Amino acid sequence: MERVMEQATLKLRVNDDRGPVEGIYGAGEHSLAGIFAMQGALMRVERNVEVYGEEEPAEYLYQVVSGAVRTYKVLQDGRRQIGAFHLPGDIFGLEADEVHAFSAEAVSDCTLRIARRASIMALATRDGDLATELWQRTAEAFRRAQEHMLLLGRKNAEERVASFLLRMAARTATGQAIELPMSRQDIADYLGLTIETVSRTLTILENRAAIELPSSRRIFVRSRSSLQQLNA
Amino acid sequence: MERVMEQATLKLRVNDDRGPVEGIYGAGEHSLAGIFAMQGALMRVERNVEVYGEEEPAEYLYQVVSGAVRTYKVLQDGRRQIGAFHLPGDIFGLEADEVHAFSAEAVSDCTLRIARRASIMALATRDGDLATELWQRTAEAFRRAQEHMLLLGRKNAEERVASFLLRMAARTATGQAIELPMSRQDIADYLGLTIETVSRTLTILENRAAIELPSSRRIFVRSRSSLQQLNA
DNA sequence: CGGGATATTGATTGATTTCAATGTGAGTGG
DNA sequence: CCACTCACATTGAAATCAATCAATATCCCG
């Protein structure tokens, strides 16, 4: 398999804008969301630009403000597995090691909030609650990874696509109209399929009246139950 | 796919044996290994017996003393994905939630050391170092999961089996002679393949003189480089 | 020396990939 | 406003890798 991914020129802008950030962990002094809200510098990343690369020293933790980010690993020959998409509110870069375990790229033009890992580490050593939150958030990422392994190892194409759609729908206001920030190639690399199989499977689901495809980036869930049936 | 897994009767024995446990985190008062060594009760679990089930309240953290444990998820129809094998020294059950995110079973007769999650949580809230260690260990599990997603999503059968063998060999004293604690079915469910494909692939690797198969549970790595070539 | 579980091997099928062509849509410049 | 282009997506036909179905073979363990 070959694929060439054009790389836009890097354009970073870091400023001191501050704004409210909500999160399930509250926004106190000793919560990650709080730290991001208080001390997080804003950073803009253009579509397809790398946020960090595998093996690079992990200098920051990141929170998505707007846009979407993919974290992934690649084989030498270019085969790529996307482990997760990070949407607004999500925190990523939690690998805890000194070095990133995988790469992160902007799926669309993004605004991120960044916080120095070193300062968070320093705080965490003194503050058990913060350290516990780092743990819990990482554990949550691990839980999702385990779920995704089940999908990649044991589900067929229809089940994979259905799972994906349900997961995306769950993150949407209405839970019906999905606005996809990512391309078919991204979806394919997330689901461990080819772009053609993703496309075909979406068509099948449309013919079955489970979904509607008004445009390639917009999907309506017509029959949640038929998707759930496939969610095994 | 159908599969019946006979379930041996549960036999637990908890005692107060204490012994030394080494680990990369040291064995002080404030390290997990230390806590296990000081306060960990021993527990014996027979082959194929469940240690804990998905959705069960997470009461303990576990460390393997001897034997091997598999953690996995299953679909309603029985399709199973093993996320990891835990060998002596490994700590598992770190999901951090109140409830287990997946199930754990003994691959072979096992001795485990268990520590109450609640007491560790309590300690962690006061001790940043311990909380940080919990984080780091979970992050390590997450890193491995990401690696495994790449295998499940993007590698072919030969690459999967080669990766598995290299990983097992790395955990062996000599790095040459592998003594497998798990069945072909376990390997298949770990690699997202069928038992037949695992078997065939091992035979292919043997014919290629990359490995030797003196018995089904014993494998010699003859040519590490040919396996590494497949490790992409 | 059975006997049941586990593993290997063979033949065939089938889901997904690969290769190839066509379609669609957004942005650009005339 | 319309052609043109380029990236992206869909659709079709053929090939392929792994799954399935089926038959031994081997290994424990009583």
Side-chain angles (χ1 to χ4, degrees):
Chain A
M1 188 206 272
E2 270 183 72
R3 194 188 318 146
V4 181
M5 188 76 72
E6 86 293 350
Q7 200 73 348
T9 48
L10 188 70
K11 236 190 234 172
L12 298 181
R13 183 148 52 83
V14 176
N15 65 34
D16 283 318
D17 265 352
R18 265 133 219 217
V21 174
E22 70 279 33
I24 58 168
Y25 295 90
E29 226 183 352
H30 298 292
S31 78
L32 267 182
I35 290 167
F36 273 108
M38 309 264 289
Q39 323 175 5
L42 284 186
M43 172 181 172
R44 304 203 121 265
V45 188
E46 288 188 348
R47 194 167 95 92
N48 292 332
V49 172
E50 179 173 283
V51 178
Y52 57 77
E54 195 174 338
E55 310 281 303
E56 276 180 26
E59 210 180 338
Y60 299 100
L61 257 52
Y62 304 82
Q63 185 178 42
V64 180
V65 175
S66 70
V69 171
R70 55 182 174 247
T71 46
Y72 64 93
K73 279 194 158 265
V74 279
L75 259 18
Q76 278 134 17
D77 64 0
R79 281 175 287 175
R80 179 178 69 161
Q81 180 61 48
I82 293 177
F85 293 112
H86 305 280
L87 303 182
D90 290 351
I91 289 171
F92 65 97
L94 288 161
E95 301 97 311
D97 214 340
E98 297 302 312
V99 161
H100 285 293
F102 35 85
S103 307
E105 273 176 5
V107 166
S108 56
D109 291 350
C110 279
T111 306
L112 306 178
R113 223 178 257 286
I114 63 178
R116 289 202 161 275
R117 149 180 246 85
S119 29
I120 287 178
M121 288 291 282
L123 277 176
T125 319
R126 309 176 136 266
D127 178 351
D129 285 337
L130 177 60
T132 301
E133 188 192 339
L134 287 167
W135 176 31
Q136 303 236 11
R137 283 187 186 270
T138 305
E140 176 60 16
F142 177 43
R143 202 192 54 66
R144 273 192 293 263
Q146 184 93 0
E147 195 74 51
H148 205 52
M149 283 192 259
L150 179 60
L151 179 148
L152 293 171
R154 291 301 179 206
K155 292 188 180 179
N156 65 28
E158 275 188 23
E159 292 167 337
R160 292 181 198 206
V161 171
S163 300
F164 170 72
L165 292 176
L166 285 172
R167 201 184 288 198
M168 289 304 292
R171 305 210 45 167
T172 298
T174 73
Q176 294 259 108
I178 306 172
E179 186 74 43
L180 297 174
M182 72 290 282
S183 69
R184 291 289 187 271
Q185 185 64 64
D186 285 330
I187 298 172
D189 287 352
Y190 177 62
L191 298 180
L193 299 171
T194 59
I195 187 175
E196 293 96 329
T197 300
V198 171
S199 197
R200 276 187 249 274
T201 306
L202 286 171
T203 305
I204 289 169
L205 293 177
E206 185 177 36
N207 291 338
R208 205 180 286 166
I211 61 171
E212 267 175 78
L213 295 160
S215 83
S216 78
R217 294 294 184 110
R218 172 165 291 126
I219 300 182
F220 283 93
V221 177
R222 234 170 186 288
S223 165
R224 163 175 293 267
S225 63
S226 33
L227 294 182
Q228 275 163 336
Q229 216 159 356
L230 284 169
N231 205 199
Chain B
M1 188 205 272
E2 269 183 75
R3 194 185 323 146
V4 181
M5 188 77 73
E6 86 292 351
Q7 200 74 347
T9 47
L10 187 71
K11 236 191 236 171
L12 297 181
R13 184 148 52 82
V14 176
N15 64 34
D16 283 317
D17 265 353
R18 263 134 221 213
V21 174
E22 68 281 33
I24 57 167
Y25 295 91
E29 228 182 353
H30 299 291
S31 77
L32 267 183
I35 291 167
F36 273 108
M38 308 264 291
Q39 323 175 6
L42 284 186
M43 172 181 171
R44 303 204 122 264
V45 188
E46 286 189 349
R47 195 166 95 92
N48 292 331
V49 171
E50 179 173 285
V51 179
Y52 56 77
E54 196 173 338
E55 309 281 303
E56 276 180 26
E59 210 180 339
Y60 299 99
L61 257 51
Y62 304 81
Q63 185 179 42
V64 180
V65 175
S66 71
V69 170
R70 56 183 172 247
T71 46
Y72 63 92
K73 279 193 160 265
V74 279
L75 259 19
Q76 279 135 16
D77 64 1
R79 280 175 286 175
R80 179 178 71 161
Q81 179 61 47
I82 293 177
F85 292 112
H86 306 280
L87 304 182
D90 291 351
I91 289 171
F92 66 96
L94 288 161
E95 302 97 310
D97 214 341
E98 297 302 311
V99 162
H100 284 293
F102 34 85
S103 308
E105 273 176 6
V107 166
S108 56
D109 290 350
C110 279
T111 307
L112 306 178
R113 224 177 257 287
I114 64 178
R116 290 203 161 273
R117 150 180 245 84
S119 29
I120 287 178
M121 288 290 282
L123 277 175
T125 320
R126 308 176 137 268
D127 178 350
D129 286 337
L130 177 60
T132 300
E133 188 192 339
L134 287 167
W135 176 31
Q136 302 236 11
R137 282 187 186 271
T138 305
E140 175 61 15
F142 178 42
R143 201 191 56 64
R144 272 193 292 263
Q146 184 93 0
E147 196 74 50
H148 205 52
M149 282 192 261
L150 179 61
L151 180 149
L152 292 171
R154 291 301 179 208
K155 292 188 180 179
N156 65 29
E158 274 188 22
E159 292 168 337
R160 292 181 197 207
V161 172
S163 299
F164 170 72
L165 291 176
L166 286 171
R167 202 183 286 199
M168 289 304 292
R171 305 209 46 166
T172 298
T174 74
Q176 295 257 106
I178 307 172
E179 185 74 43
L180 297 175
M182 73 289 282
S183 69
R184 291 289 187 270
Q185 185 64 63
D186 285 330
I187 297 171
D189 286 352
Y190 178 63
L191 298 179
L193 299 171
T194 59
I195 185 175
E196 294 97 328
T197 300
V198 170
S199 196
R200 275 187 248 275
T201 306
L202 286 171
T203 305
I204 289 169
L205 293 177
E206 185 177 34
N207 291 338
R208 206 180 284 165
I211 60 172
E212 267 176 78
L213 295 159
S215 82
S216 78
R217 294 294 183 112
R218 172 165 291 128
I219 300 182
F220 284 93
V221 177
R222 233 169 188 289
S223 164
R224 163 175 292 267
S225 63
S226 35
L227 294 183
Q228 275 163 336
Q229 217 159 354
L230 284 169
N231 205 199

Short mmCIF file of all heavy atoms in Angstrom, two decimals, chain B residues 19-51:
data_model
loop_
_atom_site.label_atom_id
_atom_site.label_comp_id
_atom_site.label_asym_id
_atom_site.label_seq_id
_atom_site.Cartn_x
_atom_site.Cartn_y
_atom_site.Cartn_z
N GLY B 19 6.40 -12.13 50.51
CA GLY B 19 7.67 -12.42 49.86
C GLY B 19 8.16 -11.20 49.12
O GLY B 19 7.43 -10.22 48.98
N PRO B 20 9.41 -11.25 48.66
CA PRO B 20 9.99 -10.10 47.98
C PRO B 20 9.40 -9.96 46.57
O PRO B 20 9.12 -10.96 45.92
CB PRO B 20 11.48 -10.45 47.91
CG PRO B 20 11.50 -11.94 47.90
CD PRO B 20 10.31 -12.39 48.69
N VAL B 21 9.17 -8.76 46.14
CA VAL B 21 8.72 -8.49 44.78
C VAL B 21 9.60 -7.38 44.22
O VAL B 21 9.73 -6.33 44.82
CB VAL B 21 7.25 -8.03 44.75
CG1 VAL B 21 6.88 -7.63 43.34
CG2 VAL B 21 6.34 -9.12 45.26
N GLU B 22 10.19 -7.66 43.10
CA GLU B 22 11.01 -6.61 42.51
C GLU B 22 10.21 -5.91 41.40
O GLU B 22 9.23 -6.44 40.90
CB GLU B 22 12.33 -7.17 41.97
CG GLU B 22 12.22 -8.07 40.77
CD GLU B 22 11.79 -9.50 41.13
OE1 GLU B 22 11.01 -9.71 42.09
OE2 GLU B 22 12.20 -10.39 40.42
N GLY B 23 10.61 -4.73 41.02
CA GLY B 23 9.89 -4.01 39.98
C GLY B 23 10.64 -2.76 39.61
O GLY B 23 11.49 -2.29 40.38
N ILE B 24 10.35 -2.23 38.46
CA ILE B 24 11.11 -1.06 37.99
C ILE B 24 10.79 0.19 38.81
O ILE B 24 11.43 1.20 38.67
CB ILE B 24 10.82 -0.77 36.51
CG1 ILE B 24 9.32 -0.55 36.29
CG2 ILE B 24 11.33 -1.87 35.62
CD1 ILE B 24 9.00 0.03 34.95
N TYR B 25 9.79 0.09 39.63
CA TYR B 25 9.42 1.26 40.43
C TYR B 25 9.99 1.18 41.84
O TYR B 25 9.61 1.95 42.70
CB TYR B 25 7.90 1.41 40.50
CG TYR B 25 7.31 1.70 39.15
CD1 TYR B 25 6.87 0.68 38.33
CD2 TYR B 25 7.20 3.02 38.69
CE1 TYR B 25 6.34 0.94 37.08
CE2 TYR B 25 6.67 3.29 37.44
CZ TYR B 25 6.24 2.25 36.65
OH TYR B 25 5.71 2.52 35.42
N GLY B 26 10.89 0.22 42.09
CA GLY B 26 11.42 0.06 43.43
C GLY B 26 10.41 -0.62 44.32
O GLY B 26 9.36 -1.06 43.86
N ALA B 27 10.74 -0.75 45.56
CA ALA B 27 9.85 -1.49 46.45
C ALA B 27 9.64 -0.74 47.76
O ALA B 27 9.48 -1.33 48.81
CB ALA B 27 10.43 -2.87 46.72
N GLY B 28 9.62 0.55 47.68
CA GLY B 28 9.44 1.37 48.88
C GLY B 28 8.00 1.36 49.34
O GLY B 28 7.14 0.73 48.75
N GLU B 29 7.76 2.08 50.41
CA GLU B 29 6.44 2.19 50.98
C GLU B 29 5.46 2.77 49.96
O GLU B 29 4.29 2.44 49.95
CB GLU B 29 6.52 3.16 52.16
CG GLU B 29 5.86 2.66 53.40
CD GLU B 29 5.96 3.71 54.48
OE1 GLU B 29 6.66 4.74 54.28
OE2 GLU B 29 5.33 3.52 55.52
N HIS B 30 5.99 3.64 49.12
CA HIS B 30 5.12 4.40 48.24
C HIS B 30 5.15 3.91 46.80
O HIS B 30 4.88 4.66 45.89
CB HIS B 30 5.50 5.88 48.28
CG HIS B 30 5.35 6.45 49.64
ND1 HIS B 30 4.12 6.63 50.23
CD2 HIS B 30 6.26 6.86 50.55
CE1 HIS B 30 4.28 7.15 51.44
NE2 HIS B 30 5.58 7.29 51.66
N SER B 31 5.49 2.65 46.62
CA SER B 31 5.44 2.11 45.25
C SER B 31 4.45 0.96 45.25
O SER B 31 4.22 0.30 46.26
CB SER B 31 6.81 1.61 44.82
OG SER B 31 7.07 0.36 45.43
N LEU B 32 3.87 0.74 44.11
CA LEU B 32 2.90 -0.34 43.98
C LEU B 32 3.53 -1.69 44.31
O LEU B 32 2.96 -2.47 45.07
CB LEU B 32 2.36 -0.39 42.55
CG LEU B 32 1.08 0.39 42.29
CD1 LEU B 32 0.63 0.17 40.85
CD2 LEU B 32 -0.01 -0.07 43.24
N ALA B 33 4.72 -1.91 43.73
CA ALA B 33 5.39 -3.18 44.02
C ALA B 33 5.60 -3.34 45.52
O ALA B 33 5.42 -4.42 46.08
CB ALA B 33 6.72 -3.25 43.27
N GLY B 34 5.95 -2.24 46.16
CA GLY B 34 6.15 -2.27 47.61
C GLY B 34 4.87 -2.59 48.35
O GLY B 34 4.87 -3.42 49.27
N ILE B 35 3.81 -1.98 47.93
CA ILE B 35 2.52 -2.24 48.58
C ILE B 35 2.13 -3.70 48.41
O ILE B 35 1.69 -4.36 49.35
CB ILE B 35 1.43 -1.31 47.99
CG1 ILE B 35 1.71 0.13 48.43
CG2 ILE B 35 0.04 -1.75 48.44
CD1 ILE B 35 0.90 1.17 47.69
N PHE B 36 2.31 -4.20 47.19
CA PHE B 36 1.99 -5.61 46.96
C PHE B 36 2.84 -6.51 47.85
O PHE B 36 2.35 -7.46 48.44
CB PHE B 36 2.21 -5.98 45.49
CG PHE B 36 1.01 -5.71 44.62
CD1 PHE B 36 1.01 -4.67 43.71
CD2 PHE B 36 -0.13 -6.50 44.73
CE1 PHE B 36 -0.10 -4.43 42.92
CE2 PHE B 36 -1.24 -6.26 43.94
CZ PHE B 36 -1.22 -5.21 43.03
N ALA B 37 4.13 -6.17 47.94
CA ALA B 37 5.04 -7.01 48.72
C ALA B 37 4.69 -6.98 50.21
O ALA B 37 4.74 -8.00 50.89
CB ALA B 37 6.47 -6.56 48.50
N MET B 38 4.30 -5.81 50.68
CA MET B 38 4.03 -5.66 52.12
C MET B 38 2.64 -6.15 52.50
O MET B 38 2.47 -6.82 53.50
CB MET B 38 4.13 -4.18 52.51
CG MET B 38 5.42 -3.51 52.08
SD MET B 38 6.64 -3.47 53.38
CE MET B 38 5.89 -2.32 54.51
N GLN B 39 1.67 -5.74 51.69
CA GLN B 39 0.29 -5.98 52.11
C GLN B 39 -0.48 -6.91 51.19
O GLN B 39 -1.66 -7.17 51.41
CB GLN B 39 -0.49 -4.66 52.16
CG GLN B 39 0.31 -3.49 52.63
CD GLN B 39 -0.51 -2.22 52.53
OE1 GLN B 39 -1.70 -2.24 52.21
NE2 GLN B 39 0.11 -1.08 52.81
N GLY B 40 0.17 -7.36 50.13
CA GLY B 40 -0.58 -8.15 49.16
C GLY B 40 -0.85 -9.56 49.64
O GLY B 40 0.07 -10.30 49.95
N ALA B 41 -2.11 -9.91 49.68
CA ALA B 41 -2.47 -11.27 50.02
C ALA B 41 -2.30 -12.14 48.80
O ALA B 41 -2.49 -11.70 47.68
CB ALA B 41 -3.92 -11.32 50.50
N LEU B 42 -1.94 -13.40 49.02
CA LEU B 42 -1.79 -14.30 47.90
C LEU B 42 -3.12 -14.96 47.59
O LEU B 42 -3.94 -15.22 48.46
CB LEU B 42 -0.75 -15.39 48.20
CG LEU B 42 0.71 -14.95 48.13
CD1 LEU B 42 1.61 -16.17 48.32
CD2 LEU B 42 1.02 -14.28 46.81
N MET B 43 -3.28 -15.25 46.30
CA MET B 43 -4.53 -15.82 45.84
C MET B 43 -4.17 -16.81 44.74
O MET B 43 -3.33 -16.52 43.90
CB MET B 43 -5.35 -14.66 45.26
CG MET B 43 -6.61 -15.04 44.55
SD MET B 43 -7.37 -13.49 43.93
CE MET B 43 -8.65 -14.18 42.90
N ARG B 44 -4.78 -17.99 44.81
CA ARG B 44 -4.50 -18.97 43.74
C ARG B 44 -5.71 -19.05 42.85
O ARG B 44 -6.85 -19.08 43.32
CB ARG B 44 -4.21 -20.34 44.33
CG ARG B 44 -3.05 -20.34 45.32
CD ARG B 44 -2.41 -21.74 45.43
NE ARG B 44 -1.01 -21.68 45.09
CZ ARG B 44 -0.52 -21.96 43.89
NH1 ARG B 44 -1.31 -22.35 42.90
NH2 ARG B 44 0.78 -21.86 43.66
N VAL B 45 -5.47 -19.07 41.57
CA VAL B 45 -6.57 -19.19 40.62
C VAL B 45 -6.25 -20.31 39.65
O VAL B 45 -5.16 -20.34 39.07
CB VAL B 45 -6.77 -17.87 39.83
CG1 VAL B 45 -8.04 -17.95 38.99
CG2 VAL B 45 -6.82 -16.68 40.76
N GLU B 46 -7.20 -21.20 39.48
CA GLU B 46 -6.96 -22.32 38.56
C GLU B 46 -7.18 -21.90 37.12
O GLU B 46 -7.92 -20.96 36.83
CB GLU B 46 -7.91 -23.47 38.90
CG GLU B 46 -7.51 -24.19 40.17
CD GLU B 46 -8.32 -25.46 40.37
OE1 GLU B 46 -9.32 -25.65 39.62
OE2 GLU B 46 -7.97 -26.24 41.27
N ARG B 47 -6.53 -22.66 36.25
CA ARG B 47 -6.63 -22.47 34.81
C ARG B 47 -8.09 -22.25 34.38
O ARG B 47 -8.99 -22.98 34.82
CB ARG B 47 -6.12 -23.75 34.14
CG ARG B 47 -5.83 -23.64 32.70
CD ARG B 47 -5.02 -24.84 32.28
NE ARG B 47 -5.87 -25.90 31.74
CZ ARG B 47 -6.16 -26.01 30.43
NH1 ARG B 47 -5.65 -25.16 29.57
NH2 ARG B 47 -6.94 -26.97 30.00
N ASN B 48 -8.29 -21.23 33.56
CA ASN B 48 -9.60 -20.90 32.98
C ASN B 48 -10.62 -20.36 33.97
O ASN B 48 -11.78 -20.19 33.61
CB ASN B 48 -10.19 -22.10 32.23
CG ASN B 48 -9.40 -22.43 30.98
OD1 ASN B 48 -8.79 -21.56 30.38
ND2 ASN B 48 -9.39 -23.69 30.61
N VAL B 49 -10.18 -20.10 35.18
CA VAL B 49 -11.10 -19.51 36.15
C VAL B 49 -11.01 -17.99 36.06
O VAL B 49 -9.93 -17.43 35.85
CB VAL B 49 -10.77 -19.98 37.58
CG1 VAL B 49 -11.59 -19.20 38.61
CG2 VAL B 49 -11.03 -21.47 37.70
N GLU B 50 -12.16 -17.37 36.18
CA GLU B 50 -12.24 -15.91 36.09
C GLU B 50 -11.63 -15.25 37.34
O GLU B 50 -11.90 -15.69 38.45
CB GLU B 50 -13.71 -15.52 35.96
CG GLU B 50 -13.96 -14.04 35.88
CD GLU B 50 -15.42 -13.76 35.58
OE1 GLU B 50 -15.82 -13.95 34.42
OE2 GLU B 50 -16.16 -13.36 36.50
N VAL B 51 -10.83 -14.24 37.12
CA VAL B 51 -10.31 -13.45 38.24
C VAL B 51 -11.32 -12.34 38.57
O VAL B 51 -11.65 -12.11 39.72
CB VAL B 51 -8.94 -12.84 37.90
CG1 VAL B 51 -8.42 -11.99 39.05
CG2 VAL B 51 -7.95 -13.94 37.54
#
